[in-house]
Every structure is written in C-alpha cells, then in structure tokens.
Amino acid sequence: MTEDTTLNTVELATELTIAWLSNQNNRVAAEDVPAFLRTMYATVSELSGDPAATAAASEEAPSAPDYTPAVSSRKSLASKDFIISMIDGKPYKTLRRHLSTHGMTPEQYRERYNLKSDYPMVAETYSEQRRAMAHRIGLGQKGRAARAAASATPADKPKRGRRPAAAAE
C-alpha cells in the first residue's frame, strides 16, 4: 500500500509540474525544473500525509548554491574607468548587458553577492561621458526652461481671462 501511495504521489507531482510548466505565462529556466519538481513532490507528499516521503524529499533537496565572487566589492569598484564583474572577474563599462547574458537583473546580482542597493552598475567615467553628451545634444532643456518660467515673478506674467480696465472701454 505504501508503494502504491508513493507511486501515485510521484505521478501526481509529475502531472502537476507538467501542467504548470506548459502554461505560457509561467517562465522557468531549464535548470530550475528539477528543483520545482522536488518542491511539488514534497508538497503533494505532505498533503497526502505520507511522513516518510516528506522526510526523504527534504533530505534530497539541496540548499541554495553559495556563490563565491571572483573579486571583492572593493576591488570591483577600484577603477573609475570600469567595474569588475563578480561573476567572471572581467572589466565592463556597464554591467547591465553582461548581467542579462547571465539571466540576471541588477537587483538579483546585488542580492547574490550581498551588495548594497546603491552599488553602481555603470563605471563612473562612462556615466560622466554619457551625461556630458546628453547636455551637449540638449537633453533636459525643456525641464530647465519650465523651471526658469516658474521662477519668473508674477508681475512679469500677464493674467489670462481678464483685460486691463483701460482696454475694456
């Protein structure tokens, strides 16, 4: 009877996993599928009330992998010209594209290597070059013009909707 229950639990967990993965709205990397199946099996076993299967599933489940950075965070930011990636130890002007090739977002990168939320993703000199280029081509001028108009005195601005008394006659 226990073997039959275990077989049904495995089949049910497999069918649930296949159904969940076949949904186009659920995106999972191929290497995450075995972990998802283990989790599904542990959940189904727990719900079925089979303590032996639950204990076996929890023993097999590996803990989260420990990522060792290629360089320290201090060395990563040692140069103003580039940022050294903690993934492969290579220098980059910006880490965003590099992280996307590894399927990560900047937030995931910061979380993986226990970095502060203000850890930069762009080298300082590259950021300054981009800022200077943006000013040269006039980006941000509209905002400055609006601020200048707002700071003008109210006497300089004509009032809308009212005509002066002399002009009304």
Side-chain angles (χ1 to χ4, degrees):
M1 173 108 182
T2 308
E3 186 176 322
D4 188 35
T5 307
T6 305
L7 182 61
N8 290 337
T9 306
V10 171
E11 287 177 1
L12 183 58
T14 305
E15 288 177 20
L16 287 171
T17 302
I18 290 170
W20 192 82
L21 293 173
S22 64
N23 185 346
Q24 294 177 351
N25 295 327
N26 299 327
R27 297 175 189 234
V28 177
E31 59 269 3
D32 295 338
V33 173
F36 181 77
L37 181 58
R38 277 190 214 97
T39 305
M40 186 64 71
Y41 175 71
T43 304
V44 170
S45 297
E46 182 180 330
L47 292 173
S48 70
D50 188 10
T54 306
S58 64
E59 289 175 7
E60 293 176 8
S63 62
D66 186 28
Y67 296 103
T68 306
V71 295
S72 68
S73 62
R74 177 176 277 188
K75 187 173 181 181
S76 160
L77 300 174
S79 174
K80 291 184 176 188
D81 296 331
F82 52 83
I83 296 178
I84 298 176
S85 169
M86 293 185 173
I87 297 172
D88 59 6
K90 295 181 182 176
Y92 297 94
K93 287 184 181 180
T94 178
L95 287 178
R96 290 185 192 273
R97 184 176 292 157
H98 169 62
L99 294 178
S100 68
T101 61
H102 290 279
M104 296 175 66
T105 63
E107 292 77 24
Q108 291 170 336
Y109 179 77
R110 289 180 181 119
E111 184 179 319
R112 176 184 281 188
Y113 295 109
N114 298 323
L115 301 170
K116 294 182 180 177
S117 62
D118 63 346
Y119 182 86
M121 292 289 130
V122 179
E124 188 176 338
T125 55
Y126 183 68
S127 178
E128 290 170 2
Q129 289 171 356
R130 299 289 295 193
R131 182 175 185 266
M133 182 179 65
H135 283 292
R136 262 195 316 264
I137 63 173
L139 293 177
Q141 295 294 327
K142 186 175 183 180
R144 280 188 229 124
R147 272 186 256 133
S151 66
T153 60
D156 295 344
K157 294 182 182 179
K159 293 185 180 184
R160 293 184 183 173
R162 292 187 165 182
R163 288 193 267 167
E169 295 176 10

